[in-house]
Amino acid sequence: LVLPKQTSSSVSLDDLHSRNGRHLLRAYKNLGNLQVVQLAPGEELNEALNEYKGSGLVEFAEPDYKLHASVIPDDPQFANGLQWALRNTSFPGNDIHATAGWDTLNSASNIVVAIVDSGIRYTHEDLAANMWVNPGEIANNGADDDGNGYVDDVHGFNAVNNTGDPMDDAGHGTHVAGIIGAVGNNGLGICGIAWNVKLMACKFLDSQGNGDTSDAIACINYARKMGAKVINASWGGPDNSAALLTAISNARAAGIIFVTAAGNDAENLDNVPSYPASYNLDNIVVVGASTRSDTIDTSYSNYGANSVDLFAPGSGIYSTYDTYDGAYTTMSGTSMAAPHVTGVVALMGARFSNLTYNQIISRLLASVDVIPSMTGKCKSGGRVNLAKALGPNPTANFAASRLSGQPPLSVTFTNLSLGELRSLSWDFGDGMPLNTNNNPTHVFARNGDFRVQLTVIGTNGQTNAFDETVKISSNYQFISENYAWIDPSGMAPLTLSDNGVSDAQPLSFVFRFYDQTFESIYVAANGVLGFNNSGLTTTSNNSLTNSPEPKGIICPYWDNLNPGAGGAIYAGVVGDAPHRRFVASWVDVPRNSSPVPVTFQAILEEDTREIVFQYLETHPETTRGGAKRATVGVESPTGTTAALYTYDGSPYVLKNYTALRAKARAYTYLLAHSESIALRAVQGIGLTTTNTLILENAGNQPLQYSLAIPASWLDQSASAGFNGTLVGGQTQAIPLALTDAALALAPGFYQAGLTVSNTTDGAGNTTLPVTLEIQAPNAILELVPPVSNSFTGGLGGPFSPDFITVRLHNAGNIPLNWAGSTNDSWFKLSTSAGFLAPGASSDIRISLTPAAADDLSGTHAGSAFFRDANSAAPALEVPVLLDVRAKITPTAASIVNGQFQGQLTFPVDGPYIIEVSEDLQTWTEWAANATQNGQSVTFQDSLDNGAHRFYRLRGQ
């Protein structure tokens, strides 16, 4: 999707499309002529995007992303909000983002999840359809059909009594199973994280929730042998078992991810270990419990910066239960948190089947929602997010050290993208070159909102992009100003009641405020001016920045004033252009709850674009005066930036006969609009490329600059602009020229560093790499042959086509003169000589001469030759053919009733003229006949005895 700039030529953009073999599919005129462009076959998306962005012709270029319908299950307890962990209606966003994740994938039908627990009620209405079925076992036949040592182990294994019946008798395992894989979208009960999955029941906990390590090991070994990809272990204890560690290590060797609960002792596992959570194996994922409000449930959940991997919802979790086939209940604990992660891992395994177990775990931890309260409490610092974990592969993502501030603002970007990347590029949105560093630091030197986009390409060739907006705005600073009261008595007073707001007052000039321009302003009774009137009736002054409203305000004395109780408010313009000033004055206006009146004014200056506050009387001796209850400052129209002078008397108390000036903070910053410079020249001749360095003072104060390069081959004279002055906002093009010494260099590559210096204060100093390629002089004549080199027609013509085209191209680096010739008289060149600059092309036409009409039937061959006039290289040859077709076929003539009767055929439709000759030298028109029988003409001629004639057919 490409949006042309309004200033762009449509012809230029069309040329950019066609030059690269792209096709414009359609455009939307009512959307600014937004264009849908089909890339050329095999073209890299990222390369095309970068070319469009770098062309200067488009506002933006982005992929035509695929969209699809959102997927919401019909399970009633999901719909009514009981499953808050999947969709949190009380605290939106404080959940695992299941609905967004399901848009990507909701089924893990090929993934076997072993639940090593108290068993599963495998007949439950919401679990039965998702139970794993042992493919080698025949149900209820009393035999060990698959020979694994267990009879009728259709849905799993019971280590407590060493049978194949893992029916739950404690409820814990059934509750865990429902979180992972209750059947989704079946209109019953709840929805599991994986709507479709294979749940393997491995029972080692008894009806009281207790079990032996040996039985846990037996279950883990069973899961490994029977094909499980994920094991959920919502249990633990304080004892370190080497045997249990070995069993989990064997599962690791089989590529099995082992998800376990952190434990419910409210302890730091870094200090108080619990097992299996504290085993140091990279296939173990340790999960702590979070609440509905996205905090750690400190009443029970263990934690640990080095021991717990992430958190997941664990408090007040509604799921399936074992008391009957339609039973559900609510439970809490890290036992409930772990299966949330297990369900996510199962879906990840189905989506990313080519990833190894440790790659899936790395992606799982990298895709969490980082929560401040979880930072330092687990390795990832956050809570599981299904949508991010299942997102595109790769998934672009980054964090910025700052998203707003004053220029020049240095921002460090951290790449948080998921997946294996082949390449990445940063577009900072401010016109500076793309950056390919992994974690770059960029300086935003101008005011504006800049859309920063990270584009990544995976090793699978897929492209994904992520963007954030960085808001840069120069703030104001307050300095003392000479007091010079402007008498407002000649201005018309504004009729304002308590908390009133005026109509829009014309400024009579354009005033720039926080990089936006305004021509009118509102005056409020409470000592505030605003560029919009929203919120100006607010009675209670706030500190700045003020939230939520008013915004875009100028506060000479924001307080609860009441002009309805006394005094007057004036507004008007004084002075002449370009030195006009808009003045708003509050004269003897009392505070609403105090009889003490105050007199002050605010002045907006046309020429300086600055703001002056003047205070005639603020009664600093009273507790209600001296701005001890007022706000003095300015705030941006977006409400994100403000300059506060004082708030409720802190840190300053206003004094009478004083003035303040609010002016934009002064700064300079030198930008060089290039990340590198590549020059190319021909030995002894000069540059073959146009090279210009663009310097910009992105600040608002003048600066001195200088350029220096420790290389004799680049011209550093003052006339080339290597020293100069730039005022605020000015750009300067610096042409880069070579010295005579450069032209004498031998062919090869030369490198140096061009130092760009802000000699005023050093802001923006940088060094750019410069490369110079010296090429040996070389003229190379290339020929692009015609699509067809044949002319075709009947005897005597006409012939088609009218001409054929040959293209000559100078692929060298110096100009050349070419010459052309032919070896026969029946064809000619449109021009036989010419000049070609380096890289230039010229089209030459080859056409027939009148002599072609005299050629007899058959194929005639000739050649055109082209050569570099100053080179001894062999000429380039273009074969040229003329195919003259015969007119009469052998069976098309006979004598009928004493008359010669013939039929002549012609390659194209007529009408035709019959010509006759007795000597094949002189031809005369004999008859004109209309076309008959398609491309054939039949005629008759009476002949005298002994006479002979020749006939031919010519098109009219």
Side-chain angles (χ1 to χ4, degrees), residues 2 38 73 96 116 132 154 160 209 224 296 352 356 372 392 412 429 595 644 661 680 691 735 802 868:
V2 175
Q38 176 67 56
I96 72 167
V116 178
W132 170 76
V154 175
V160 176
R224 174 174 57 83
I296 301 171
F352 304 115
T356 63
T412 298
L644 179 67
R661 178 174 290 273
R680 185 181 301 115
N691 292 273
D802 293 335
D868 180 352

Side-chain angles (χ1 to χ4, degrees), residues 335-696:
S335 286
M336 284 63 252
H340 281 94
V341 172
T342 298
V344 171
V345 169
L347 288 175
M348 290 178 71
R351 175 159 168 71
F352 304 115
S353 58
N354 60 321
L355 298 185
T356 63
Y357 75 86
N358 46 14
Q359 288 174 325
I360 288 179
I361 292 174
S362 294
R363 184 182 178 94
L364 171 74
L365 301 186
S367 63
V368 300
D369 283 339
V370 175
I371 310 296
S373 63
M374 298 176 187
T375 302
K377 301 293 185 180
C378 67
K379 294 177 183 178
S380 66
R383 182 246 315 123
V384 67
N385 182 318
L386 176 65
K388 289 182 182 178
L390 293 183
N393 186 23
T395 302
N397 190 24
F398 65 80
S401 59
R402 298 279 301 278
L403 288 176
S404 63
Q406 297 189 72
L409 181 69
S410 179
V411 180
T412 298
F413 296 92
T414 303
N415 177 20
L416 301 176
S417 301
L418 303 177
E420 295 184 359
L421 304 183
R422 185 173 73 196
S423 64
L424 60 84
S425 65
W426 299 84
D427 183 348
F428 298 113
D430 58 356
M432 300 306 289
L434 297 179
N435 190 301
T436 57
N437 292 331
N438 193 49
N439 299 309
T441 296
H442 185 73
V443 175
F444 294 90
R446 302 187 213 92
N447 292 302
D449 292 350
F450 302 106
R451 178 171 171 260
V452 179
Q453 184 174 69
L454 170 62
T455 301
V456 298
I457 301 178
T459 54
N460 57 4
Q462 297 298 310
T463 299
N464 189 254
F466 176 79
D467 63 79
E468 288 271 18
T469 298
V470 177
K471 298 179 179 293
I472 307 296
S473 179
S474 292
N475 205 356
Y476 287 83
Q477 56 184 350
F478 284 97
I479 61 174
S480 296
E481 174 73 3
N482 292 329
Y483 176 78
W485 182 260
I486 298 174
D487 184 3
S489 59
M491 302 176 186
L494 302 175
T495 303
L496 297 180
S497 59
D498 187 21
N499 304 323
V501 180
S502 74
D503 294 333
Q505 302 296 301
L507 298 174
S508 300
F509 53 86
V510 176
F511 187 75
R512 192 171 185 84
F513 181 70
Y514 280 105
D515 300 304
Q516 296 188 34
T517 55
F518 302 92
E519 297 184 33
S520 63
I521 198 166
Y522 297 89
V523 180
N526 292 325
V528 182
L529 299 95
F531 290 103
N532 67 78
N533 60 5
S534 180
L536 292 182
T537 59
T538 302
T539 59
S540 178
N541 62 291
N542 297 307
S543 184
L544 303 178
T545 57
N546 164 63
S547 180
E549 288 184 335
K551 301 180 187 299
I553 53 177
I554 297 172
C555 307
Y557 194 107
W558 182 14
D559 199 3
N560 188 9
L561 306 181
N562 185 5
I569 300 176
Y570 303 88
V573 178
V574 298
D576 299 317
H579 306 294
R580 289 169 290 188
R581 292 181 289 173
F582 175 85
V583 184
S585 305
W586 288 254
V587 178
D588 292 330
V589 178
R591 192 175 187 275
N592 207 8
S593 59
S594 169
V596 178
V598 289
T599 299
F600 58 92
Q601 64 187 193
I603 305 166
L604 279 61
E605 297 181 341
E606 177 185 15
D607 50 357
T608 66
R609 298 179 176 178
E610 295 174 356
I611 303 164
V612 175
F613 297 158
Q614 298 206 102
Y615 301 96
L616 175 61
E617 178 60 78
T618 61
H619 291 285
E621 75 283 356
T622 69
T623 57
R624 294 291 187 180
K628 292 177 181 176
R629 292 293 184 271
T631 299
V632 177
V634 294
E635 181 182 277
S636 69
T638 61
T640 57
T641 305
L644 179 67
Y645 179 74
T646 188
Y647 170 64
D648 284 353
S650 176
Y652 304 112
V653 174
L654 299 177
K655 297 180 180 180
N656 294 340
Y657 311 109
T658 60
L660 298 171
R661 178 174 290 273
K663 61 185 301 181
R665 183 179 59 85
Y667 77 100
T668 71
Y669 198 87
L670 183 61
L671 288 176
H673 287 260
S674 180
E675 60 182 3
S676 63
I677 301 171
L679 306 175
R680 185 181 301 115
V682 179
Q683 184 183 28
I685 295 178
L687 287 171
T688 60
T689 55
T690 301
N691 292 273
T692 301
L693 175 65
I694 304 297
L695 296 182
E696 177 188 357

Side-chain angles (χ1 to χ4, degrees), residues 261-331:
N264 302 329
D265 306 306
E267 297 278 6
N268 185 343
L269 288 186
D270 292 351
N271 303 323
V272 182
S274 177
Y275 301 93
S278 295
Y279 289 133
N280 186 23
L281 291 174
D282 64 359
N283 69 320
I284 296 179
V285 179
V286 183
V287 188
S290 62
T291 67
R292 191 185 297 254
S293 58
D294 238 359
T295 61
I296 301 171
D297 197 324
T298 57
S299 67
Y300 66 85
S301 179
N302 288 344
Y303 57 93
N306 301 309
S307 302
V308 174
D309 290 294
L310 74 169
F311 286 86
S315 299
I317 304 301
Y318 189 79
S319 185
T320 49
Y321 204 53
D322 76 316
T323 50
Y324 59 95
D325 285 347
Y328 302 87
T329 193
T330 298
M331 298 176 71

Side-chain angles (χ1 to χ4, degrees), residues 108 117 237 292 510 513 629 778 793 891 946 949 951:
D117 210 288
R292 191 185 297 254
V510 176
F513 181 70
R629 292 293 184 271
N778 195 9
T891 60
R949 288 181 181 167
Y951 304 90

